[in-house]
Amino acid sequence: MLFISCWQFYTPNCAEKALRSGPQPNSSLIQKRLGHIEPILVASPNMPHPLPHSIEELKNAPSIASQMFSDWPLINSAGERHALNKDHQHISNDMNITLNLTKAGAGISLIPMSIVNTDLKKGELIRVLPEWRGQDREIYLVWPYRRSLSARASLFKDELMSFLEKQTWFHPTP
């Protein structure tokens, strides 16, 4: 089983199936949408810069981004959309680096709830502009088109869905 966000690293010989974030452009693969995870704006409670109280203030606040989340298309609880294109102080190709810089107080970041849930509960991170969130990150299970799932792979899919449905940060597909 692979966990990937970029399909170019997957070959059918290296895994029977893969878990993917984002839609699958490769038509030679079957994809099953499992649900989505919401990215949220977070910061350290000890961040030296004042926390923003509006999108306008967020534009000028220090920020950290992963390459996957360097553009910030935001949606609020009323359904309004705002594409926030800003220059980040740090951009990393590693979500853990983004998380650690955020926890160290280097700025605000947009990170999937699945990654920050525990840190929020422990008080190591706080939500910023909680009425705003990022665009949903769709989660797919993908496998080669001409291959049916083995009994083992099918059992794994069922166990994975059972686990995900119990997570407060996961929103399963109806």
Side-chain angles (χ1 to χ4, degrees), residues 46-68:
N46 303 317
M47 188 173 91
H49 191 278
L51 292 175
H53 295 94
S54 68
I55 292 290
E56 288 304 313
E57 290 178 12
L58 179 60
K59 288 179 185 177
N60 299 316
S63 59
I64 303 143
S66 67
Q67 287 177 336
M68 182 184 294

Side-chain angles (χ1 to χ4, degrees), residues 58 128 138:
L58 179 60
V128 175
E138 311 244 348

Side-chain angles (χ1 to χ4, degrees), residues 65-68 91-98:
S66 67
Q67 287 177 336
M68 182 184 294
I91 296 180
S92 172
N93 65 353
D94 184 329
M95 191 70 76
N96 286 319
I97 291 172
T98 303

Side-chain angles (χ1 to χ4, degrees), residues 15-95:
E16 195 169 340
K17 68 173 92 170
L19 197 58
R20 177 182 169 75
S21 172
Q24 172 53 41
N26 187 338
S27 63
S28 69
L29 300 166
I30 296 172
Q31 64 179 346
K32 175 176 175 38
R33 184 176 183 271
L34 303 179
H36 72 272
I37 300 169
E38 295 175 352
I40 61 170
L41 295 162
V42 294
S44 167
N46 303 317
M47 188 173 91
H49 191 278
L51 292 175
H53 295 94
S54 68
I55 292 290
E56 288 304 313
E57 290 178 12
L58 179 60
K59 288 179 185 177
N60 299 316
S63 59
I64 303 143
S66 67
Q67 287 177 336
M68 182 184 294
F69 293 98
S70 60
D71 293 328
W72 288 5
L74 301 175
I75 305 164
N76 71 11
S77 50
E80 297 173 67
R81 296 180 180 271
H82 186 88
L84 185 63
N85 298 316
K86 63 180 286 169
D87 293 324
H88 304 287
Q89 281 67 24
H90 305 281
I91 296 180
S92 172
N93 65 353
D94 184 329
M95 191 70 76

Side-chain angles (χ1 to χ4, degrees), residues 18-20 24 29-35 139-143 149 157-158 161 173-174:
L19 197 58
R20 177 182 169 75
Q24 172 53 41
L29 300 166
I30 296 172
Q31 64 179 346
K32 175 176 175 38
R33 184 176 183 271
L34 303 179
I139 305 300
Y140 294 89
L141 193 61
V142 294
W143 63 91
L149 289 179
K157 178 188 74 121
D158 294 343
M161 281 308 300
T173 299

